[in-house]
């Protein structure tokens, strides 16, 4: 893997790890919240888990891609990680109020 690919993979992996940590924080918050808040937060967590799985799948495709397919898959992986990160931040801000 060339240097540009390595840098991008490290960046996307770091973004995924940060999102996973934030999701775990939200799960802990859901455990401590009142019943009505807990239902809303659990629904939000299900959506985040789905986006996390999609982003992970896109990263795996990118990691396993041949050089010729790598550029085609790069934007999908970047988009999935960005969407996950944005969704986690939105959920965290909604439930920190």
């Amino acid at each position: 893997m060339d240097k540009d690919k390595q840098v991008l993979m490290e960046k996307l992996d770091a973004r995924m790890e940060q999102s996973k940590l934030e999701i775990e924080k939200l799960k802990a918050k859901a455990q401590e919240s009142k019943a009505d808040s807990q239902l809303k937060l659990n629904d939000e967590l299900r959506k985040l888990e789905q986006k996390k799985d999609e982003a992970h799948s896109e990263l795996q495709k990118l990691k396993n891609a041949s050089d010729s397919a790598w550029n085609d898959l790069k934007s999908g992986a970047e988009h999935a990680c960005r969407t996950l990160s944005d969704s986690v931040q939105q959920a965290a801000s909604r439930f920190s109020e």
Side-chain angles (χ1 to χ4, degrees):
M1 186 179 303
D2 70 22
K3 186 174 177 135
D4 290 338
K5 291 178 183 178
Q6 183 66 31
V7 168
L8 178 62
M9 290 306 303
E10 289 173 2
K11 176 183 163 187
L12 294 177
D13 282 337
R15 185 178 280 172
M16 277 291 296
E17 286 304 312
Q18 181 62 35
S19 293
K20 287 178 185 178
L21 290 172
E22 292 297 323
I23 289 170
E24 291 304 315
K25 288 179 188 177
L26 289 171
K27 285 180 181 178
K29 189 172 189 168
Q31 295 289 328
E32 298 171 357
S33 40
K34 296 178 184 175
D36 58 332
S37 295
Q38 190 173 21
L39 289 174
K40 290 177 187 175
L41 191 50
N42 283 336
D43 184 51
E44 192 72 30
L45 285 167
R46 278 190 292 279
K47 292 175 186 174
L48 290 174
E49 287 290 338
Q50 181 180 3
K51 288 180 182 183
K52 182 183 78 170
D53 292 344
E54 290 169 4
H56 178 74
S57 176
E58 290 296 319
L59 279 176
Q60 288 307 112
K61 287 179 194 175
L62 188 62
K63 286 179 181 179
N64 297 323
S66 66
D67 287 341
S68 60
W70 202 85
N71 283 326
D72 294 335
L73 297 173
K74 180 175 93 169
S75 64
E78 289 175 315
H79 179 1
C81 286
R82 187 173 41 256
T83 298
L84 173 62
S85 181
D86 292 347
S87 296
V88 168
Q89 293 304 316
Q90 289 171 359
S93 68
R94 273 196 300 276
F95 290 100
S96 67
E97 301 169 348

